[in-house]
Amino acid sequence: REKDVMLKEIHHRVKNNMEVICSLLDLQAKQAADKSVHAVFMESMNRVNSMALVHEKLYRSADLAHIDFKEYLQSLVSVIANTYNMPDVNFSVEMEPVFLDVNIGIPCGLIVNELVSNCFKHAFPGRRKGAIKLGISNGGDAYVLSVVDNGIGLPEGMDFRNTTSLGLQLVNVLVKQLRGTLELSRKQGAAFTITFPKSRSESYE
């Protein structure tokens, strides 16, 4: 019981420290006159927030080792959507409840943050209407994470595995960290699929 209390306190303090970092980044963003500089600060803030949110969910959960990833994704994408303020772009989290170990939940959250942020930034130019669907499914010995949009898609000839885009570079690094594979379908918009093996500590309900 003492260990559980201590672990909750650790998650709470980590979350609070990350929220302080987010606040500092937000202040810097507001002081940046250059739009590109402002965007960099906001993107960094969203990355830190995606990690802070994991610790917040764990702090409030009865299970201090696993995170309800469906609930987490709904909260995370809501924050991202508020950042970009595009009310005509709808998002939906379509999945059964999945509980991930924190060491898997954090890189998955960062991957989703990058891919969904890219959707809001690039997939719907001119603030056109659109939809983003995401979720994670149980693939037997592996999990399958997908982020799909019906926007304009990636530019022809763009190699998403070898690009100057910091966001996609981070996604590729995080997929390797998960010992997974990353695939892209360009049939309608962009559909990213990440398949990675389960940890022994994972549970699926």
Side-chain angles (χ1 to χ4, degrees):
R1 190 174 298 176
E2 288 178 357
K3 289 181 179 179
D4 285 347
V5 171
M6 289 178 64
L7 191 53
K8 273 185 173 288
E9 181 62 21
I10 289 170
H11 284 308
H12 185 57
R13 292 189 181 190
V14 171
K15 184 264 296 185
N16 285 347
N17 288 340
M18 287 185 170
E19 285 182 348
V20 170
I21 296 171
C22 284
S23 297
L24 291 172
L25 290 169
D26 186 42
L27 286 172
Q28 289 291 324
K30 289 176 179 177
Q31 293 177 7
D34 189 307
K35 289 185 178 180
S36 62
V37 174
H38 180 274
V40 168
F41 279 117
M42 295 304 295
E43 289 168 6
S44 296
M45 188 175 73
N46 281 343
R47 288 170 185 139
V48 175
N49 179 72
S50 72
M51 294 184 283
L53 194 55
V54 169
H55 292 282
E56 180 180 357
K57 297 296 182 184
L58 290 171
Y59 169 69
R60 298 182 184 281
S61 172
D63 184 346
L64 298 177
H66 298 81
I67 180 173
D68 181 339
F69 205 65
K70 181 176 183 179
E71 180 185 277
Y72 168 76
L73 285 182
Q74 290 170 332
S75 298
L76 176 62
V77 181
S78 293
V79 172
I80 299 171
N82 287 336
T83 299
Y84 291 97
N85 189 28
M86 296 177 66
D88 289 332
V89 177
N90 299 315
F91 74 87
S92 58
V93 177
E94 300 179 356
M95 58 182 286
E96 297 297 321
V98 173
F99 295 84
L100 296 183
D101 181 274
V102 61
N103 293 320
I104 291 180
I106 287 178
C108 282
L110 285 167
I111 288 170
V112 169
N113 178 75
E114 298 304 327
L115 293 179
V116 172
S117 294
N118 278 347
C119 291
F120 280 109
K121 287 190 293 184
H122 305 300
F124 311 104
R127 305 183 72 83
R128 67 174 66 186
K129 293 182 179 180
I132 303 169
K133 297 180 181 180
L134 63 152
I136 190 169
S137 60
N138 182 13
D141 293 334
Y143 286 123
V144 181
L145 173 65
S146 61
V147 177
V148 181
D149 70 73
N150 63 352
I152 62 172
L154 272 69
E156 287 295 331
M158 179 181 178
D159 182 1
F160 65 93
R161 291 190 175 91
N162 184 21
T163 174
T164 57
S165 165
L166 176 60
L168 288 177
Q169 287 178 10
L170 284 173
V171 169
N172 281 286
V173 168
L174 291 163
V175 170
K176 288 182 181 178
Q177 181 179 325
L178 291 170
R179 295 179 290 116
T181 59
L182 174 63
E183 300 296 334
L184 169 64
S185 172
R186 303 174 188 254
K187 290 181 180 179
Q188 292 182 341
F192 284 93
T193 304
I194 298 96
T195 305
F196 58 94
K198 293 180 178 179
S199 158
R200 290 182 181 180
S201 62
E202 298 306 315
S203 62
Y204 181 86
E205 297 181 9

